[in-house]
Amino acid sequence: QVQLVESGGGLVQAGGSLRLSCVASGSTFSFNAVGWFRQGPGKQRELVASISSGGTTKYEDSVKGRFTISRDNAKNTVYLQMNSLKPEDTAVYYCNRVQRIGGAPFGSWGQGTQVTVSS
């Protein structure tokens, strides 16, 4: 059973940057596509970026050009580099395996990491 732990969130001013990490334990997820999701206050959880096992990426329109997803299979880790952050990026960020890039999640969720962007 794959367990996922997200980290790297925090409080940052608008225009700032953060790098989130998602570490898998219990099993490798190097053969899976992985996505970063976020859930803002009063909103549904949404997929913002995903990466295939081979490194192909896909982004939600609102983060294109600002966020970069990457992975290090040797470390069983997926990253989300977030630049030019905006207050509307404030959310709890989660990672999970996805059926394919841009696809539905499967497996257990981690606890997430809070990102707060102040104006």
Side-chain angles (χ1 to χ4, degrees), residues 17 23-24 27-29 37-38 43-44 63 66 72 75 81-82 85 88 90 94-95 97 100-101 103-104 110 112-113:
S17 298
V23 180
S27 181
T28 181
F29 67 1
F37 299 76
R38 68 184 179 190
K43 297 181 180 180
Q44 290 192 335
V63 308
R66 300 189 298 122
D72 184 338
K75 295 183 178 180
Q81 177 68 44
M82 305 187 296
L85 282 161
E88 52 263 44
T90 294
Y94 303 86
C95 63
R97 292 172 290 172
R100 61 189 184 284
I101 57 169
T113 186

Side-chain angles (χ1 to χ4, degrees), residues 50-82:
S50 51
I51 186 167
S52 72
S53 59
T56 302
T57 60
K58 184 173 183 177
Y59 299 92
E60 192 267 332
D61 285 347
S62 68
V63 308
K64 281 181 182 177
R66 300 189 298 122
F67 290 11
T68 303
I69 189 171
S70 62
R71 66 191 303 161
D72 184 338
N73 288 335
K75 295 183 178 180
N76 234 13
T77 302
V78 173
Y79 304 98
L80 186 67
Q81 177 68 44
M82 305 187 296

